[in-house]
């Protein structure tokens, strides 16, 4: 007779970094682990679906024992209570929604769930802080605690939203489960890295905490930096860090900087304005490898591929015909994409091309009743909504919709675009939607002015690139 072995009890394991609890009984379907998957059977290369650390960063978890620990030993779990409005994300978009709700008369409970500390700051300032001589401490406009107290909101910092239960109107987080009557997703977007760039090896300036760490790593004198991606953030960082005396290698697949945002003439004018700054732009290349460099000198070696022959650079750090570039630090500015975990768990429509949650242009509503999205995580009218200007209008429309008040539609008009490169500030103002050709209205030593008209002659856009009367110099930044 074959002996029947007793069933092993289900165990739980907690991530030391973000606090996610893996329950063997439930598994984690979103990351490919079926219910009943034992922790020992999880592949060693599995990563935490919230913060990305490895399996080795999980430890056994006893929920009952954790609850008995002294205060401060571990963040206390939250328990379901009166269903209120839950906002995921404490960036500008999240706080703007809370402000709009209170301004429009909401007196009910509001809970803000934030993976970061939730301090209020202007994210666009991160890429120009050096050029504008902004001390790091001055970037925070209001502490998270002060904002929560002022707005009467319950703030859960260091808390990751894990999944949305739509029928039960619950949000599962790393601090427990929250009930909601309305859920607002304002959790932003994450850097989109090419496979050859590992998050542990490169800098990604997507929040104040990461920017503080980058600034600390750059203390002590000029360094040789590679910035991968010459879009809006990449160009602003290149300009800013060059003014601090660092030697910049700006790399992009496109032949000109800002190709995705502006006509070619604007990118060419920006390159001309950078003459005299230690910025070396290399277009038409991609990074196909990154490894630690051997010997003394710069610590990283990038292997580049492209159709053009390698151009000699004044610093002499192109190494042979294989296009190897050696640098001290690598900054990735390769775009953003909204993590799809929450959207998938809630069954929300997700635009895979634009990389975000589909939201209604007028109300911010998603494809599920009672759930809204705005800011960096939202896609409106087929476009990622990753600009500051529309956020206040989006927040006001969402607040009115939640409270059952008349909604002033948040239009899907293209926002004003400002490129804050101090060597050549550029402004793109849209007057209408459509396609057309660009004409040069002014092309002088100090300014470039372009106009775009459609086939009927209607003005669609105005671009102005005007060099400051006294251009900033590296010495002026210190």
């Amino acid at each position: 007779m074959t002996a029947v072995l007793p069933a092993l009890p289900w165990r739980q394991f907690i991530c030391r970094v973000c606090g996610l609890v893996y329950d063997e009984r439930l598994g984690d379907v979103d990351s490919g682990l079926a219910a009943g998957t034992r922790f020992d059977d999880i592949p060693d290369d599995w990563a935490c679906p919230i913060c990305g650390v490895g399996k080795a960063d999980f430890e056994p978890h006893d929920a009952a024992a954790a609850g008995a620990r002294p205060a401060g030993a571990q963040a206390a779990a939250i328990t379901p209570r009166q269903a209120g409005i839950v906002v995921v994300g404490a960036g500008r978009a999240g706080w703007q929604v809370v402000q709009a709700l209170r301004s429009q008369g909401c007196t009910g409970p509001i809970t803000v769930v934030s993976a970061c500390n939730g301090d209020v700051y202007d994210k666009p300032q991160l890429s120009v802080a050096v050029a504008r001589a902004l001390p790091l401490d001055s970037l925070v406009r209001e502490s998270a605690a002060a904002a929560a107290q002022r707005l009467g909101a319950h703030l859960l910092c260091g808390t990751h939203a894990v999944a949305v239960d739509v029928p039960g109107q619950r949000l599962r987080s790393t601090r427990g489960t929250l009930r909601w009557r309305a859920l607002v997703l304002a959790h932003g977007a994450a850097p989109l890295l090419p496979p050859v760039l590992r998050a542990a090896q490169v800098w990604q300036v997507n929040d104040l905490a990461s920017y503080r760490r980058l600034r600390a790593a750059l203390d002590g004198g000029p360094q040789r930096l590679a910035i991968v991606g010459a879009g809006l953030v990449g160009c602003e960082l290149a300009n800013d860090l060059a003014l601090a005396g660092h030697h910049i290698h700006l790399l992009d697949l496109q032949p000109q900087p800002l190709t995705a945002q502006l006509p070619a003439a604007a990118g060419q004018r920006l390159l001309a304005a950078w003459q005299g700054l230690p910025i070396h732009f290399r277009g038409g290349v991609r990074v196909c490898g990154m490894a630690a460099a051997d010997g003394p000198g710069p610590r990283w070696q990038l292997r580049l591929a492209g159709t053009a022959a390698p151009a000699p650079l004044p610093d002499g750090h192109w190494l042979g015909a294989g296009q190897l570039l050696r640098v001290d630090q690598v900054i990735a500015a390769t775009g953003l994409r909204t993590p799809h975990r929450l959207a998938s768990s809630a069954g929300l429509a997700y635009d895979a091309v634009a990389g975000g949650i589909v939201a209604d242009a007028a109300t911010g509503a998603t494809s599920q009743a009672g759930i809204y999205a705005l800011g960096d995580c939202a896609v409106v009218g087929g476009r990622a909504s990753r600009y500051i200007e529309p956020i206040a209008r989006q927040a006001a429309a969402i607040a009115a919709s939640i409270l059952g008040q008349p909604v002033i539609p948040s239009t899907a008009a293209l926002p004003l675009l400002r490129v804050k490169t101090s060597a050549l500030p550029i402004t793109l103002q849209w007057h209408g939607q459509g396609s057309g050709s660009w004409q040069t209205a002014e092309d002088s030593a100090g300014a470039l002015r372009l106009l775009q008209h459609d086939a009927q002659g209607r003005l669609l856009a105005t671009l102005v690139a005007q060099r400051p009367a006294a251009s900033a110099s590296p010495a002026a930044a210190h």
Side-chain angles (χ1 to χ4, degrees), residues 192-216:
L192 182 62
L193 286 179
V196 297
L197 298 181
R198 298 177 57 189
Q201 297 176 331
V202 303
W203 296 101
Q204 304 164 77
V205 185
N206 195 44
D207 53 48
L208 181 56
S210 62
Y211 181 71
R212 285 183 185 275
R213 292 192 293 270
L214 172 62
R215 286 282 292 269

Side-chain angles (χ1 to χ4, degrees), residues 28-85:
D28 192 277
V29 178
D30 290 334
S31 61
L33 302 178
T37 301
R38 295 292 185 177
F39 187 80
D40 294 340
D41 296 330
I42 298 175
D44 289 338
D45 61 354
W46 177 77
C48 174
I50 297 298
C51 66
V53 300
K55 177 182 174 182
D57 287 300
F58 280 71
E59 61 185 16
H61 175 64
D62 185 335
R69 291 176 185 171
Q74 179 176 312
I78 52 176
T79 55
R81 45 185 182 170
Q82 180 185 355
I85 299 170

Side-chain angles (χ1 to χ4, degrees), residues 12 28 39 46 100 117 146 178 182 195 266 323 334 348 357 372 417 428 456:
Q12 292 183 342
D28 192 277
F39 187 80
W46 177 77
N117 68 6
L178 284 163
Q323 298 197 62
T334 48
L348 302 181
I357 299 167
Y372 303 81
L417 175 62
L428 176 61
Q456 287 73 43

Side-chain angles (χ1 to χ4, degrees), residues 301-361:
Q301 180 172 285
L302 300 181
R303 183 177 295 278
L304 307 182
T307 56
L313 293 177
D315 55 26
H317 276 262
W318 287 110
L319 304 180
Q323 298 197 62
L324 297 179
L325 176 63
R326 298 182 68 173
V327 294
D328 298 302
Q329 309 282 352
V330 179
I331 300 172
T334 48
L336 299 171
R337 187 177 187 83
T338 303
H340 59 77
R341 182 184 178 93
L342 281 185
S344 177
S345 69
L348 302 181
Y350 186 93
D351 189 320
V353 176
I357 299 167
V358 177
D360 181 72

Side-chain angles (χ1 to χ4, degrees), residues 98 141 185 245 258 330 341 413 427:
V98 180
R141 294 195 291 109
L185 302 180
L258 298 167
V330 179
R341 182 184 178 93
T427 302

